[in-house]
Amino acid sequence: MGLTRRGLLMPLSAAAAMAAAMTVLMAAAVPGAAASAGTSPGAPASGAPASGVPASGAPVPEAPVGEVVGAAPLPEADLSHHGYVSFSGGRIAIRIRSENLGPSDVTASTVRLRFSAPLAVSQELPYGCLRSAKATVLCETGGLRSGGGARQTALDLQPVGGPDEVIVRLDTVWNGGVRDTDPRNNVHQVLAPATGDAYAF
């Protein structure tokens, strides 16, 4: 199941794949586990050696910890988020320009915005965005082609408590399963006083 609202999909298939990989690694790390399945404790299966060494005496090759044998390397891409934040009249205006500098395409991307103040319960969010916590908003960018056009996201949000300034933290919480070669250009923190000035990131 993924996070959904008005077309927003935050895939959780990566977590399922990781769980399957851990099952494979755990089975490989326990010699003779398959041979002893279904037998009583201390009694080896009929015809099977008492130890985890095969009858041939050859050692069992072990996969490096954390690595699945035969797994293809992850495609590489470089997600980039830039824009500005302004805070005035009790409203936070945020404009985000998301693009992919390549070399591989990105099938989906989700940007996370975390605020130093909680947001009002009644909040109008643009299509593709949803609340995930009192002070957190997730926005999907859709697919991003390598070297293709940028996707624009515009938000107008209202914090509660009447703060004199807000801190906005932005990062990528889902990148379609690619390896980001330069995460520095999609992780930002912006302090915006309530002056109406635009602060770039």
Side-chain angles (χ1 to χ4, degrees):
M1 179 177 179
L3 278 174
T4 59
R5 174 181 167 185
R6 296 182 298 174
L8 173 63
L9 174 63
M10 182 181 174
L12 298 180
S13 57
M18 183 178 295
M22 289 302 296
T23 302
V24 172
L25 291 176
M26 288 176 64
V30 182
S36 61
T39 63
S40 59
S46 176
S51 69
V53 180
S56 63
V60 178
E62 295 184 1
V65 176
E67 179 179 329
V68 179
V69 176
L74 292 176
E76 295 184 354
D78 183 10
L79 290 180
S80 173
H81 305 301
H82 293 290
Y84 70 85
V85 177
S86 63
F87 182 32
S88 178
R91 309 290 299 188
I92 307 170
I94 304 173
R95 301 296 181 266
I96 307 171
R97 176 185 172 91
S98 301
E99 59 186 327
N100 175 15
L101 306 180
S104 300
D105 294 342
V106 173
T107 57
S109 172
T110 303
V111 176
R112 176 172 57 185
L113 298 158
R114 290 174 290 176
F115 301 87
S116 57
L119 302 174
V121 175
S122 179
Q123 201 81 230
E124 184 66 28
L125 296 176
Y127 177 82
C129 295
L130 61 79
R131 292 276 295 272
S132 68
K134 291 181 179 180
T136 304
V137 173
L138 302 177
C139 292
E140 59 107 12
T141 67
L144 295 172
R145 292 186 296 108
S146 174
R151 297 292 186 96
Q152 307 285 342
T153 303
L155 300 101
D156 183 24
L157 306 172
Q158 180 183 2
V160 296
D164 295 326
E165 62 184 26
V166 293
I167 298 174
V168 182
R169 297 177 177 88
L170 180 148
D171 64 350
T172 301
V173 72
W174 172 251
N175 63 6
V178 302
R179 186 172 73 85
D180 197 324
T181 56
D182 183 14
R184 294 172 299 176
N185 56 9
N186 63 72
V187 178
H188 305 284
Q189 178 172 304
V190 183
L191 170 64
T195 61
D197 297 315
Y199 294 88
F201 58 86

